[in-house]
Structures are given as C-alpha cells and as structure tokens.
Amino acid sequence: MAATNILKIENLSFERNDALLFEPVSFELNSGEALHIEGANGAGKTTLFQLLIKLLEPCTGDVYFRGQHLSQCHFEYLSDILFIGHQSAVKAALTVEENLSWMSPDGTSTEKITAALQFVGLEHYASIPCYRLSAGQHRRVALARLMTTSATLWYLDEPFAALDKQGVGFIENCMQQHLDQGGCIVFSSHQDLVKIAARSYRLNPLREVV
Amino acid sequence: MHNYLSAGFIAYLTRDLLLGVRNKTDLVKPLIFFLLVSALVPLSIAPEAERLAQLAPGMIWIFAVLATLLSVERLFSDDLQDGSLEQMLMSPNLLIMPILGKITAHWVMIGLPLTLLSPVLGVWFSLPTVAVTPMMLSLAIGTAVLCLIGAVGAALTLPRQGGVLLALLVMPLYMPVLIFGSATIQSAVDGLDWTAPLVILVALLAIAIALCPLAINAGLRLAKNG
C-alpha cells in the first residue's frame, strides 16, 4: 500500500522578542511514520508543538495536512489530531475513569475506556480520584487517551516524562500499534526508544540555550 | 449543530458542575460571604423595618456583585495550570461553546444559589413580599451577566489570579447591572412597575452572551501565548 502524505511543514519559524527562536523547520510525514524532534532543553520543541496545534501563529512557513493548506482544512486538521503536552490536563478532583471518559471522543464506550485503563495498568484505579495518584500515574491517565482517540496524527511532547520502565513500554507498544494502523506521530523525548523506528529531526536554536 | 453543542457546551457544563460538586469549599465560600455580610447589616444599622426595606435593594445587589467577583477569578486559572486550557483552545469546535458551557456551570453553582438564598435576605431586610419575585428574577438574570463579565476579566488577567486588577477591570462593567438590578427591587418596594429595569437586564444579558465569549476567547489565547 502506497504511503499517503499526512503532514508537510515548510519553513516554519517563530519569533519572540524580535528574534527567531529556531532555524526554520521543514519536514514531511507519511502515514505509518514517526518523527522524533530532538533538541536541548529550551531549543523550542514545545513552541514547535504549539505552532503545530495552532496555539501559536508562525512568523513564516506553511503547514499542509493531507495535501491541503491548513487555511483550507482547519476544522478537519484539528478534528484529526491529538496533542498530549507537558501538562497532563488531568483534573485532580475527578476519578481516573471520569477523566478519561471526559477526554475521550463523544460516544466512547465504557468497555473501550476500561480497556484503555487496562492497557496502561490502571484498571484497579478507575474509581480513585486523581489527587491520590502519583505523577507517573497521572501521566498514564493522560496517555490512556492514546487508546481511545480516533485521531490520525499524534503530537506527543515528552510523553515518557515521569513514567517508569513499564509505563514507557506500554506507551511504546501503543505508539507502534498506531503506526501499524497507518497513523503518524510527532514526538519529543530525551529517552532512547527501543521499539519505535522513528526518523529524527534536530531543532537548531538560533539563540543561546542556557 | 447538535455536535457543536454536545462536544463543547454540554461537555464543559457537566465537567465543571462535577468539579464544583467535588470542590465544595470553592462553591460554598461566596455563598457564606453573601449570607454573612447580609446578616451583619440589620445588626449594624438600626433594625427598623422601613429603613431596612429602603436599604435592601442596593445592599443585596452590592453583596451579590462582591460574592460573584470573589468566585470568578479561578474560572480559568486551574485549567491553565493543569493543561486543560490548552486542550480547550485546540478544540475544532467553536470555542464559544466550551466557554459558554463553563460560564453556565459557574452560574449554576454561584448565581442560582444566590438567587435561591435571596428570600432569606428579604426576610432579614424586612422586604415586602411583593418585592421577592422581582428580586429573584433580577438576581437570576443579573448574576448571569456578572458571571459573563467576570469571566472576561478572569481571562484577561491570566496567568495570574486576578485579585485587585480583576476588580478594577470588571467593576465599571458591573455598574449597569448593579443599577438596573437594584432599580428592579426598588421599583417593586415603591409599588412601581418593575418590569422596565428588568427588561434592560435581559437586554444586557443578551449583549453579554453575544460579546463576552469573543473577548474571553481572545483573552485566553493571549494568556496562553504569554
């Protein structure tokens, strides 16, 4: 099966205080491919993700989704992406199940939510309020969304932060499954991954990274 | 259309109501403030029924404004801290629907209880019974406007919790609500037609529903982009 082009980035750049943050970014991503964004702390990886999810407007550059410029397919693009950032977007007062159910697309069945919790090893915590969980377990709740989403393109900013070895294994499996099904992943991580065959893209900062 | 409602408005409304029920302290604080301060007035001013009834419209509305202001500053700050705001801002649906869902939940948890508690204040202030219905109607509509305006202030003062800046920002915008809200009760106390100021409150609510979500949207994006 011929790979379909999902994402094309051309010369994307962002300015803060009248200075470019990093060298203009260009890459392409076909179905079934993963891209590992590399860069030192402060290189601008999170900013790049924020540009990709349209939280920030780039100074220059274009983004194409499935061959169409984003200005022509804004709604389709935002409906078909999933972003998990540094902050887990988990509400401490809600239970694990309530959080996942709320974060999942409309009409996600209880069985699917239970299966997702099982996958990340939280099946016994379903009715526990999230304020009683550890940071790693919080992260697992957020990442359980990977099992319930129908989005093709995943943006994962440091998904393995706070996870133990077993948790990393769960998420790597989940990512591999998504790639096998023709999905795409753009992620950043300081961890060496063993199961995911990803291309690397090094983000070159244009200001001194301390 | 149904999808817009279910994905945005209803989802945020139910989630915030659930969060409100779980964080009861945040919910109860403004209500306790409203009741306590109102209870102090008849004690500090001579408890003459006629005098209290004259003061009641203004007093009740001032306390309602302060109670709403007290509760509104955390409307978006928790979402900003835990990353939910990021998820809300990248929603493919019209952002005004989640925003209106959150504000409606806030009104159900603050404005509605204030309205339902107000007859108690009516008794404390020796308010004539004819004024109770206008008071409740004006509070129900007026607190909804206060929540919408307060949310604009809360969005514009992010990432900090508003405090004094929030009060300075929204107080001038609260004034028309305060004036027409207390005028509704005052007219009823004086035996005049109280529907005219109430209709103006309804008009203010319509304007606020149309304009505030747009301002909140801009404020939230500004806050997120630093």
Side-chain angles (χ1 to χ4, degrees), chain B residues 2 17 21 86 129 156 165 173 182 200-201 209 211-212 220 223:
Chain B
H2 172 74
L17 284 177
V21 172
E86 219 164 43
T129 42
L156 288 173
L165 182 61
L173 298 169
S182 52
I200 295 174
L201 273 185
I209 290 175
L211 298 181
C212 289
L220 292 178

Side-chain angles (χ1 to χ4, degrees), chain A residues 127-139:
Chain A
S127 55
I128 303 281
C130 286
Y131 63 79
R132 286 173 55 188
L133 302 182
S134 69
Q137 287 171 322
H138 259 248
R139 199 66 182 154

